[in-house]
Amino acid sequence: MENRSFLQDWRRLGSRQVATNGIELRVVDHGQGPPVVFCHGFPELGFSWRHQVFALAAAGFRTLTPDMRGYGGSSRPARIEDYDIVTLCADLVGLLDEAGLDEAVFVGHDWGASVVWQLAMLHPDRVRAVAGLSVPATPRSAAPPLSILRSRLGDAFYMCWFQEPGVADAALAADVRRTLQRDGVVSATDLAYSEDSADAVPEWLEADEFDYYVDTFTATGFTGGLNYYRNLDRNWHLTADLAGATIDVPSLFIAGSTDPVIRFTPTTKMAAVLTDLRATIILDGAGHWIQQERATEVDAALLEFLGGLD
């Protein structure tokens, strides 16, 4: 991957506000050809897909990349209930409608992966193919997920710590730069100041790109993204009718070998959900922020996957 900033190139693309499902999403629409929608995770922005947007547009695809609900230039509703999985998927269906598209390939990372896997079950007629990064597709759990997470990983585990409104919000926002330097957040104590990392920038980001994230989350806070986690159990109840459902469109999974997510969400059960899994790619030595950290390899994997669609 070329080591240069993509910030100015990204800004030159511009964006538009798309009215969908009672909110607005800020969307970057770039390229022409078969459509691909990119969905980011926590705590990221549509900008996290910059490498893939330019690579796919250059290869003849139309890319649509929103700041997801609760992030960046998109609407940030106040109610926790406004971030459940059914609502998040309806946002994306509305995005397709606004763009005049019957269907698209959906690519998601982290929470975006969870959303696109569910979208392929809830709205299979709108999903041409689906790729998830870092978070594998899994069968429905036997019980609400928070009870399982607490019993296995404890109340200090980050998804559990995120549940109380206002607590993690304040801790993460107290020093946005420090928060975004972390590879992963598991408790408030992990945000303690360190002289060694005071000015550190993740190696896969240029300084101005990192500042873009810091400036954006300083302005918006983290509550919108945290509200995704606060709907974990609600999502389980809302999707009861999907028990035993499968995803039958072509699918792809990519993760890093050191990503902690695939340690507590193993990939071994994907075959029970994905009936047309074209490839599982584990990039050796890569971490969680894979589409930025290992952009060239992710670009190549996505282009091969897209090229193999009928």
Side-chain angles (χ1 to χ4, degrees), residues 37-39 68 85 89 92 106-109 111-121 127 129-133 247:
V37 180
F38 289 107
C39 301
M68 299 288 280
I85 197 67
C89 289
L92 298 177
F106 284 84
V107 182
H109 171 253
W111 254 107
S114 295
V115 173
V116 300
W117 295 134
Q118 290 293 308
L119 180 71
M121 294 186 191
V127 179
V130 60
L133 280 62
I247 295 171

Side-chain angles (χ1 to χ4, degrees), residues 231-255:
N231 278 280
L232 284 172
D233 281 358
R234 188 164 184 262
N235 292 344
W236 187 84
H237 291 289
L238 287 171
T239 58
D241 59 328
L242 295 180
T246 57
I247 295 171
D248 301 320
V249 297
S251 59
L252 169 70
F253 180 68
I254 309 173

Side-chain angles (χ1 to χ4, degrees), residues 45-96:
L45 302 164
F47 180 64
S48 67
W49 293 107
R50 60 200 175 281
H51 301 281
Q52 291 71 44
V53 165
F54 288 114
L56 267 63
F61 294 90
R62 180 185 181 185
T63 62
L64 295 108
T65 311
D67 285 347
M68 299 288 280
R69 172 186 290 246
Y71 290 89
S74 296
S75 299
R76 301 189 301 278
R79 297 192 319 150
I80 291 173
E81 295 81 2
D82 288 333
Y83 295 83
D84 69 65
I85 197 67
V86 174
T87 299
L88 297 172
C89 289
D91 291 350
L92 298 177
V93 170
L95 172 58
L96 291 186

Side-chain angles (χ1 to χ4, degrees), residues 134 183-184 203-204 254-264 281-290 293-294:
S134 298
D183 286 335
E203 62 181 13
W204 36 266
I254 309 173
S257 65
T258 68
D259 189 339
V261 174
I262 63 172
R263 297 174 193 163
F264 61 81
I281 299 172
I282 306 297
L283 297 180
D284 187 49
H288 182 66
W289 316 104
I290 193 166
E293 180 184 348
R294 301 284 281 271

